[in-house]
Amino acid sequence: MLRSRSFEVVGFAVAFVAVHAVLWWLTATTANLPLGDVTITYRRWIETGLTSHYWVGMDSDWVYPILAIVPMAAAALGGAASIGTGWLVLMVLLDAAACAFLWRFRALGVRVVWWWLVFLLALGPIALGRIDTVATAVAMVGVCFVASRPAVAAAVFTAAAWIKVWPAALVGVLLVVRRGHRRGVLVGALVVTALVVLVDVLFGGAAHLLSFVGQQSGRALQIEAPLATPFMWAAAAHVPGAAVFYDREILTFEVSGNGTHLAAAASTPLMALVVLGGIALAAWAVVRGARRAEVAPLLALVLVAALIATNKVGSPQYIGWFAVPIVWGLIAGRGSARRFLPIAMAALPMAFLTQLIYPAYYDQVLTVQPWILVVLTIRNALEVAILVWALVLVVRIGLRARRGALVGSGPGVAAEGRMDP
């Protein structure tokens, strides 16, 4: 048995190196600059800080939470000119650390890290080439502590949220679902936040600490967002006014046309409605007797899917966020793993289609070629389908828990699923 475990470790290590070697190679050879954010934008921020002592997030408003500057600066330790190589090395090390934490977890007899490795390969170079890689790897570590130490999980999720905002939703899941641990969850989140705020204030960045909150409020529809899909087809059909344009202030491609401003304005209220609806359904399921350990990853999936599917920003790296709630669901018990297996399988083609969209054929997306718009439409439909399916699963688990309680109730018999893990 010891020998078979050794073979498994060696096999995974070889697969890990091979996958990340392929991803590294793709970042260097694929068109459309998959590492462009790092080698152009991140590099400029770090060079400005080093040469002019003017740091984004501390001396000016910034699009990211303040901890995002840490991995960027770390990647430039060998010099800003080599930040691309430093970044890739750092991302590989972070993924390796996350895999080490995840190694002991299995879903239906298979180690979950294998699924994540395949998902990263399907997603392509964007899986390494953005700040989201850091937040995702850190959040993945937090998932490993959800069942045993929710306060630690909350602290780790909070640290990830100070790099890229979305893991804050995972802290919210723990606060909503983990009854009996809410004080610890709150303390873990507040301690990390207090430390971040204290350091930022000491370095003189207090005035810009929360500047990331409103940085993207004025954006139009980004071309890859699900809400932009009909307008992209309108541009392909040469409908007057419908076109792809480059926003030089935000540095992204967006779509114009009749109705785009309304769709962009509606995205935030729509997101809030779906998020609040998901929370209400999860609370309802728990009240009816559903196991909290099984409701939690479903709620996490609902929130993450809502942040992506209803967002007016459709950046390709967002797809990587799905890995965290999916892994959470796969390791939350056999019943949860079976429930999440179809979602985990659907996420793989969704990730691969994203790689086709960016970086592989992004130039054809920009020129609204019909074949790549079909790919974009299918990918966006999968995002929405996962969101809808997650909501359906929350309802089903709530209804099933109530039926189980009615069937199992009686003298000396406790209602199923009433125990809080």
Side-chain angles (χ1 to χ4, degrees):
M1 182 175 291
L2 184 60
R3 180 175 296 179
S4 66
R5 285 184 179 179
S6 298
F7 277 128
E8 188 178 12
V9 172
V10 171
F12 181 80
V14 170
F16 180 91
V17 171
V19 165
H20 283 77
V22 169
L23 296 177
W24 190 314
W25 174 75
L26 287 172
T27 64
T29 60
T30 306
N32 300 308
L33 297 174
L35 204 61
D37 275 23
V38 176
T39 57
I40 299 174
T41 307
Y42 299 178
R43 176 180 174 176
R44 184 177 71 249
W45 287 334
I46 297 302
E47 284 181 335
T48 301
L50 292 174
T51 58
S52 304
H53 305 290
Y54 186 86
W55 292 95
V56 289
M58 286 183 285
D59 299 306
S60 67
D61 289 351
W62 198 27
V63 69
Y64 295 127
I66 191 60
L67 277 189
I69 200 68
V70 175
M72 296 177 191
L77 287 176
S82 60
I83 191 173
T85 300
W87 182 267
L88 291 173
V89 170
L90 182 60
M91 296 307 103
V92 172
L93 292 176
L94 283 172
D95 280 356
C99 285
F101 277 95
L102 279 173
W103 179 254
R104 65 188 178 93
F105 294 98
R106 296 177 182 269
L108 306 176
V110 179
R111 293 192 188 275
V112 175
V113 286
W114 285 106
W115 176 85
W116 191 36
L117 198 61
V118 174
F119 179 82
L120 291 174
L121 182 61
L123 188 55
I126 200 67
L128 298 181
R130 297 291 187 273
I131 190 65
D132 301 70
T133 308
V134 181
T136 298
V138 173
M140 200 68 81
V141 173
V143 167
C144 299
F145 293 98
V146 164
S148 58
R149 297 178 180 179
V152 174
V156 176
F157 290 154
T158 303
W162 278 105
I163 297 169
K164 193 73 187 273
V165 178
W166 72 267
L170 307 178
V171 181
V173 171
L174 296 179
L175 288 172
V176 170
V177 177
R178 291 309 301 264
R179 184 181 65 186
H181 298 279
R182 286 175 183 146
R183 180 177 296 178
V185 168
L186 193 59
V187 168
L190 289 177
V191 166
V192 171
T193 297
L195 289 173
V196 171
V197 172
L198 176 62
V199 172
D200 188 67
V201 169
L202 290 176
F203 278 88
H208 307 286
L209 180 64
L210 298 178
S211 60
F212 62 91
V213 174
Q215 281 291 294
Q216 301 193 42
S217 59
R219 295 185 70 150
L221 281 180
Q222 188 168 314
I223 58 175
E224 303 103 304
L227 288 172
T229 304
F231 303 105
M232 290 294 286
W233 280 107
H238 305 290
V239 173
V244 171
F245 69 96
Y246 186 67
D247 189 321
R248 296 188 177 276
E249 183 178 348
I250 305 177
L251 307 178
T252 189
F253 287 95
E254 298 173 344
V255 62
S256 63
N258 291 330
T260 54
H261 292 296
L262 178 61
S267 65
T268 299
L270 177 62
M271 184 186 299
L273 180 64
V274 176
V275 166
L276 292 175
I279 292 172
L281 284 174
W284 166 81
V286 168
V287 168
R288 289 175 66 90
R291 293 188 65 243
R292 295 170 184 269
E294 295 188 352
V295 174
L298 284 174
L299 178 56
L301 181 61
V302 167
L303 298 186
V304 170
L307 293 177
I308 297 170
T310 64
N311 207 319
K312 60 184 174 182
V313 182
S315 299
Q317 61 267 25
Y318 289 7
I319 299 301
W321 304 357
F322 276 108
V324 176
I326 289 174
V327 166
W328 188 345
L330 290 174
I331 68 176
R334 180 170 293 272
S336 179
R338 287 176 176 167
R339 202 173 289 115
F340 268 81
L341 185 59
I343 298 170
M345 293 301 101
L348 298 179
M350 180 176 66
F352 180 68
L353 292 176
T354 300
Q355 182 178 173
L356 293 181
I357 295 163
Y358 184 87
Y361 296 102
Y362 198 61
D363 53 339
Q364 299 199 37
V365 176
L366 299 180
T367 56
V368 289
Q369 298 301 309
W371 80 269
I372 196 65
L373 290 189
V374 171
V375 173
L376 179 62
T377 302
I378 295 172
R379 194 286 305 270
N380 289 345
L382 284 171
E383 291 180 19
V384 176
I386 288 177
L387 171 59
V388 172
W389 186 233
L391 289 168
V392 169
L393 287 176
V394 174
V395 173
R396 288 178 61 183
I397 198 174
L399 293 175
R400 188 175 300 155
R402 184 61 176 172
R403 286 197 297 268
L406 291 174
V407 171
S409 60
V413 180
E416 182 185 359
R418 290 288 183 181
M419 295 302 293
D420 184 21

